[in-house]
Amino acid sequence: MEVKANLARIQAGLQPGVTLVAVSKTQPDEAVLEAYAAGQRDFGENRVQDLKGKAERLPSDIRWHMIGHIQTNKIKDFIGFVHLVHGVDREKVLKVLNDEAAKAGRTVDALLQIHIAEEDSKFGFDAQEARALFDPSALAAYPHVRICGLMGMATFTDDTAQIQREFAGLKALYDEGAALNPHWNVLSMGMSGDYTLAMAAGSSHVRVGSAIFGTRNY
């Protein structure tokens, strides 16, 4: 496995201030540890069972990112340790996150997921729904969740211009929210196939899996 070399290549191309989230979903512990040994600390998982298991087995200073579609009945399984929740895609998730974080005695950082792709399989708020949550007074109902930005996934396509439009639209929406919430500092967009376009559009966090670890192990 060429994890160390792949990681070094990607890190060398990151723009200043961009956080690389190594997407370790479906990967064995050994692959995560190889990246960890090379200095990587931010890892992303999309299945709660895998996230919980790896968090229990692997080094405690790893910052775990929940990047997948969230089933609310499983939030309690990661709320105590998760570093950042990328996929708050509906208000029910926001409510349960808040309730479970309160029980855990913590405030959890999270992102509003915006549906920017021309694909029905993607999840997220539309722009109008998201704007309703930009007002700090609207978020006051969720004191144990700290919304610190937005996340989105572009359409899976070879049309570079379309991807750039989608990322630009998300950045513009992020700027609207940041004007009302000065503490916002995360715009999570870009994956293995389009993270360079995402960085050019202003992404602060890129989620890269196969370009680091190779083919996923299903």
Side-chain angles (χ1 to χ4, degrees), residues 22-154:
V23 179
S24 51
K25 63 183 184 182
T26 77
Q27 299 296 333
D29 292 358
E30 292 76 16
V32 177
L33 287 171
E34 186 174 346
Y36 178 89
Q40 181 66 24
R41 291 295 181 272
D42 291 274
F43 291 87
E45 292 283 332
N46 72 333
R47 297 173 183 169
V48 173
Q49 184 175 355
D50 292 344
L51 174 63
K52 182 181 179 183
K54 286 176 178 174
E56 291 172 348
R57 297 188 302 268
L58 296 171
S60 60
D61 62 335
I62 287 177
R63 294 182 290 270
W64 291 105
H65 298 245
M66 180 59 195
I67 62 172
H69 180 62
I70 297 172
Q71 294 176 272
T72 54
N73 65 330
K74 294 185 177 181
I75 288 175
K76 63 183 182 296
D77 293 330
F78 64 75
I79 198 68
F81 65 86
V82 72
H83 175 68
L84 180 63
V85 179
H86 288 239
V88 176
D89 60 4
R90 57 201 190 280
E91 284 204 62
K92 183 179 179 181
V93 172
L94 193 55
K95 182 183 185 306
V96 178
L97 268 180
N98 181 74
D99 292 346
E100 294 296 339
K103 293 175 187 177
R106 67 174 302 212
T107 299
V108 65
D109 287 342
L111 308 175
L112 300 178
Q113 181 172 344
I114 309 301
H115 185 229
I116 61 172
E118 294 181 4
E119 295 169 350
D120 291 337
S121 60
K122 298 290 198 305
F123 299 96
F125 295 99
D126 63 30
Q128 183 175 354
E129 292 169 334
R131 287 187 180 102
L133 292 171
F134 287 177
D135 187 334
S137 64
L139 294 173
Y142 311 104
H144 291 275
V145 180
R146 181 168 42 238
I147 297 298
C148 49
L150 304 179
M151 183 273 256
M153 291 180 282

Side-chain angles (χ1 to χ4, degrees), residues 146-195:
R146 181 168 42 238
I147 297 298
C148 49
L150 304 179
M151 183 273 256
M153 291 180 282
T155 302
F156 184 70
T157 177
D158 292 327
D159 186 344
T160 298
Q162 179 178 346
I163 295 171
Q164 289 173 321
R165 286 195 304 271
E166 291 171 355
F167 284 156
L170 184 56
K171 176 60 163 63
L173 190 63
Y174 171 86
D175 289 343
E176 286 185 41
L180 297 172
N181 300 276
H183 62 280
W184 278 25
N185 59 3
V186 180
L187 177 55
S188 173
M189 59 185 189
M191 300 185 291
S192 287
D194 57 19
Y195 73 92

